[in-house]
Amino acid sequence: MRFTPLALEGVVLVAMDSHRDARGHFARSFCEEEFAAAGLPERWPQMNVSVNAKAGTLRGMHFQRPPFEEPKVVRCVRGAILDVVIDLRPASATFRAHLAVPLDAESGDALYVPPGFAHGFQALIDDSEVLYMMGARFEPGAQDGVRWDDPAFGISWPLPVSAISPRDAAYSDFAG
Ligand SMILES: Cc1cn([C@H]2C[C@H](O)[C@@H](COP(=O)(O)OP(=O)(O)O[C@H]3O[C@@H](C)C(=O)[C@@H](O)[C@H]3O)O2)c(=O)[nH]c1=O
């Protein structure tokens, strides 16, 4: 596996080394030892999947409030998404900055999202499927988010939003 730090401190692109042969290819998608050597968490107690029927579907921008902040490793296993993270660590030099990373099933690349970031994505193709590991368990009472189109962040989404949850559409303007 290859780990490439991206422009916001702590965000890492995780690429797989594929072994190709006549059958197709094989790759390791998670390794406790390699994650530890790269300074990433080894413990991933939950894994989630979401299927996004229509291109333009937007989920986010989500995080869990302290003390339940959670890292994530996000991978698109069918179709393609634009994955977006926002640095919400008040002490960070890049507080409020965001990063948009295209992920698709063909490359298999995954994005490591550290605690303290809001996370969301937009499906770029119908029926895109996202599989992601969570570094902490789901805590319904700690769920929170910021709005996808909040001017505080100025995220440029590639497609008109075709589907979004009422909760995600209704987050107030960021007050931080
Ligand atoms: C996230 C989550 C949701 N649920 C439940 C709550 C709800 O009834 C149903 C759907 O949840 P949501 O609407 O929150 O699903 P969704 O909007 O897809 O939430 C996800 O969005 C992406 C962007 C993330 O980063 C994830 O961490 C997660 O927040 O599933 C769980 O049981 N466990 C979980 O871990």
Side-chain angles (χ1 to χ4, degrees), residues 46 48 50 59-60 62 70 72 119-121 132 134 138 143 165 167-168:
Q46 293 186 349
N48 300 333
S50 78
R59 297 181 190 246
H62 299 160
E70 81 282 51
K72 305 174 185 180
H119 168 257
F121 59 84
Y132 52 99
M134 303 294 294
F138 177 58
Q143 294 290 296
S165 72
R167 175 197 58 173
D168 287 356

Short mmCIF file of all heavy atoms in Angstrom, two decimals, residues 46 48 50 59-60 62 70 72 119-121 132 134 138 143 165 167-168, ligand 1:
data_model
loop_
_atom_site.label_atom_id
_atom_site.label_comp_id
_atom_site.label_asym_id
_atom_site.label_seq_id
_atom_site.Cartn_x
_atom_site.Cartn_y
_atom_site.Cartn_z
N GLN A 46 -16.06 -0.26 12.97
CA GLN A 46 -17.27 -0.37 12.15
C GLN A 46 -16.92 -0.12 10.68
O GLN A 46 -15.97 0.62 10.38
CB GLN A 46 -18.35 0.63 12.60
CG GLN A 46 -18.89 0.31 13.99
CD GLN A 46 -20.05 1.19 14.41
OE1 GLN A 46 -20.39 2.19 13.78
NE2 GLN A 46 -20.70 0.82 15.50
N ASN A 48 -19.09 0.81 6.99
CA ASN A 48 -20.40 1.19 6.44
C ASN A 48 -20.36 1.14 4.92
O ASN A 48 -19.31 1.33 4.31
CB ASN A 48 -20.75 2.62 6.84
CG ASN A 48 -20.82 2.80 8.35
OD1 ASN A 48 -21.09 1.87 9.09
ND2 ASN A 48 -20.55 4.01 8.81
N SER A 50 -22.64 2.79 1.53
CA SER A 50 -23.79 3.54 1.04
C SER A 50 -23.84 3.45 -0.47
O SER A 50 -22.80 3.53 -1.15
CB SER A 50 -23.79 4.99 1.54
OG SER A 50 -22.91 5.78 0.82
N ARG A 59 -24.10 13.53 0.11
CA ARG A 59 -24.18 13.19 1.54
C ARG A 59 -23.12 13.98 2.27
O ARG A 59 -21.96 13.99 1.88
CB ARG A 59 -23.96 11.69 1.76
CG ARG A 59 -25.01 10.80 1.10
CD ARG A 59 -24.70 9.33 1.39
NE ARG A 59 -25.52 8.44 0.60
CZ ARG A 59 -26.45 7.62 1.09
NH1 ARG A 59 -26.67 7.57 2.39
NH2 ARG A 59 -27.15 6.83 0.30
N GLY A 60 -23.51 14.64 3.37
CA GLY A 60 -22.53 15.38 4.16
C GLY A 60 -23.06 16.75 4.50
O GLY A 60 -24.19 17.10 4.14
N HIS A 62 -20.48 15.68 7.37
CA HIS A 62 -20.75 15.09 8.68
C HIS A 62 -19.51 14.96 9.56
O HIS A 62 -18.41 14.75 9.07
CB HIS A 62 -21.33 13.69 8.50
CG HIS A 62 -22.62 13.66 7.76
ND1 HIS A 62 -23.11 12.55 7.14
CD2 HIS A 62 -23.54 14.64 7.53
CE1 HIS A 62 -24.27 12.82 6.56
NE2 HIS A 62 -24.54 14.09 6.78
N GLU A 70 -14.33 10.94 14.96
CA GLU A 70 -13.93 9.66 14.38
C GLU A 70 -13.14 9.84 13.09
O GLU A 70 -13.50 10.64 12.24
CB GLU A 70 -15.14 8.77 14.14
CG GLU A 70 -15.94 9.04 12.89
CD GLU A 70 -16.87 10.24 12.99
OE1 GLU A 70 -16.41 11.32 13.38
OE2 GLU A 70 -18.04 10.11 12.62
N LYS A 72 -11.96 8.21 9.42
CA LYS A 72 -12.65 7.37 8.43
C LYS A 72 -11.65 7.02 7.33
O LYS A 72 -10.75 7.82 7.04
CB LYS A 72 -13.81 8.12 7.77
CG LYS A 72 -14.81 8.68 8.75
CD LYS A 72 -15.88 9.55 8.09
CE LYS A 72 -16.76 10.15 9.19
NZ LYS A 72 -17.83 11.02 8.70
N HIS A 119 -16.93 15.50 6.73
CA HIS A 119 -16.74 14.68 5.53
C HIS A 119 -18.05 14.54 4.76
O HIS A 119 -19.12 14.41 5.35
CB HIS A 119 -16.25 13.27 5.93
CG HIS A 119 -16.31 12.31 4.79
ND1 HIS A 119 -17.31 11.35 4.66
CD2 HIS A 119 -15.53 12.21 3.69
CE1 HIS A 119 -17.11 10.69 3.54
NE2 HIS A 119 -16.04 11.18 2.93
N GLY A 120 -17.94 14.57 3.44
CA GLY A 120 -19.10 14.33 2.59
C GLY A 120 -18.64 14.00 1.18
O GLY A 120 -17.45 14.05 0.87
N PHE A 121 -19.61 13.65 0.34
CA PHE A 121 -19.24 13.36 -1.05
C PHE A 121 -20.44 13.55 -1.96
O PHE A 121 -21.59 13.59 -1.51
CB PHE A 121 -18.70 11.93 -1.19
CG PHE A 121 -19.64 10.83 -0.76
CD1 PHE A 121 -20.61 10.34 -1.62
CD2 PHE A 121 -19.56 10.30 0.52
CE1 PHE A 121 -21.48 9.34 -1.23
CE2 PHE A 121 -20.43 9.29 0.93
CZ PHE A 121 -21.39 8.81 0.05
N TYR A 132 -16.80 2.44 3.66
CA TYR A 132 -15.84 3.16 4.49
C TYR A 132 -15.73 2.59 5.88
O TYR A 132 -16.70 2.16 6.48
CB TYR A 132 -16.13 4.66 4.51
CG TYR A 132 -17.54 5.07 4.88
CD1 TYR A 132 -17.84 5.48 6.17
CD2 TYR A 132 -18.55 5.07 3.94
CE1 TYR A 132 -19.12 5.86 6.52
CE2 TYR A 132 -19.83 5.45 4.27
CZ TYR A 132 -20.12 5.84 5.55
OH TYR A 132 -21.39 6.21 5.90
N MET A 134 -14.81 3.01 9.86
CA MET A 134 -14.98 4.04 10.88
C MET A 134 -14.08 3.70 12.07
O MET A 134 -14.09 2.58 12.57
CB MET A 134 -16.44 4.08 11.35
CG MET A 134 -17.44 4.32 10.24
SD MET A 134 -17.29 5.94 9.50
CE MET A 134 -17.78 6.95 10.88
N PHE A 138 -20.65 4.44 15.89
CA PHE A 138 -21.70 5.41 15.61
C PHE A 138 -22.34 5.86 16.93
O PHE A 138 -22.75 5.03 17.74
CB PHE A 138 -22.74 4.72 14.71
CG PHE A 138 -23.94 5.56 14.38
CD1 PHE A 138 -23.81 6.78 13.74
CD2 PHE A 138 -25.22 5.09 14.67
CE1 PHE A 138 -24.93 7.53 13.40
CE2 PHE A 138 -26.35 5.83 14.33
CZ PHE A 138 -26.20 7.06 13.70
N GLN A 143 -23.97 13.05 16.48
CA GLN A 143 -23.98 13.38 15.04
C GLN A 143 -24.14 14.87 14.82
O GLN A 143 -24.97 15.51 15.47
CB GLN A 143 -25.15 12.67 14.35
CG GLN A 143 -25.06 11.17 14.33
CD GLN A 143 -23.97 10.69 13.41
OE1 GLN A 143 -24.02 10.90 12.21
NE2 GLN A 143 -22.95 10.09 13.97
N SER A 165 -30.40 14.53 1.98
CA SER A 165 -31.35 14.29 3.09
C SER A 165 -31.82 15.63 3.63
O SER A 165 -31.09 16.63 3.57
CB SER A 165 -30.67 13.47 4.19
OG SER A 165 -29.74 14.27 4.89
N ARG A 167 -32.03 16.56 6.61
CA ARG A 167 -31.09 17.00 7.65
C ARG A 167 -29.88 17.71 7.02
O ARG A 167 -29.48 18.79 7.47
CB ARG A 167 -30.60 15.77 8.45
CG ARG A 167 -29.53 16.08 9.48
CD ARG A 167 -28.80 14.83 9.95
NE ARG A 167 -28.18 14.12 8.85
CZ ARG A 167 -27.36 13.07 8.98
NH1 ARG A 167 -27.10 12.59 10.17
NH2 ARG A 167 -26.83 12.49 7.92
N ASP A 168 -29.31 17.11 5.98
CA ASP A 168 -28.11 17.71 5.39
C ASP A 168 -28.40 19.05 4.73
O ASP A 168 -27.54 19.93 4.69
CB ASP A 168 -27.50 16.75 4.36
CG ASP A 168 -26.82 15.56 5.02
OD1 ASP A 168 -26.75 15.52 6.27
OD2 ASP A 168 -26.36 14.66 4.29
C1 LIG B 1 -23.79 6.78 9.86
C2 LIG B 1 -24.73 5.72 10.48
C3 LIG B 1 -26.09 5.81 10.30
N1 LIG B 1 -26.92 4.87 10.86
C4 LIG B 1 -28.37 5.00 10.63
C5 LIG B 1 -28.97 6.34 11.01
C6 LIG B 1 -30.06 6.55 9.99
O1 LIG B 1 -31.25 5.93 10.43
C7 LIG B 1 -29.59 5.79 8.77
C8 LIG B 1 -29.02 6.70 7.69
O2 LIG B 1 -28.00 7.50 8.30
P1 LIG B 1 -27.50 8.85 7.66
O3 LIG B 1 -28.64 9.55 7.02
O4 LIG B 1 -26.73 9.57 8.73
O5 LIG B 1 -26.49 8.34 6.53
P2 LIG B 1 -25.45 9.20 5.70
O6 LIG B 1 -26.03 10.55 5.45
O7 LIG B 1 -25.02 8.40 4.55
O8 LIG B 1 -24.26 9.37 6.74
C9 LIG B 1 -22.93 9.15 6.37
O9 LIG B 1 -22.52 10.23 5.53
C10 LIG B 1 -21.17 10.22 5.14
C11 LIG B 1 -20.90 11.48 4.33
C12 LIG B 1 -20.24 10.03 6.28
O10 LIG B 1 -19.16 10.63 6.37
C13 LIG B 1 -20.63 8.98 7.25
O11 LIG B 1 -19.80 9.02 8.41
C14 LIG B 1 -22.07 9.11 7.64
O12 LIG B 1 -22.24 10.29 8.42
O13 LIG B 1 -28.59 4.87 9.22
C15 LIG B 1 -26.43 3.83 11.58
O14 LIG B 1 -27.19 2.98 12.10
N2 LIG B 1 -25.07 3.71 11.74
C16 LIG B 1 -24.21 4.63 11.21
O15 LIG B 1 -22.96 4.49 11.38
#
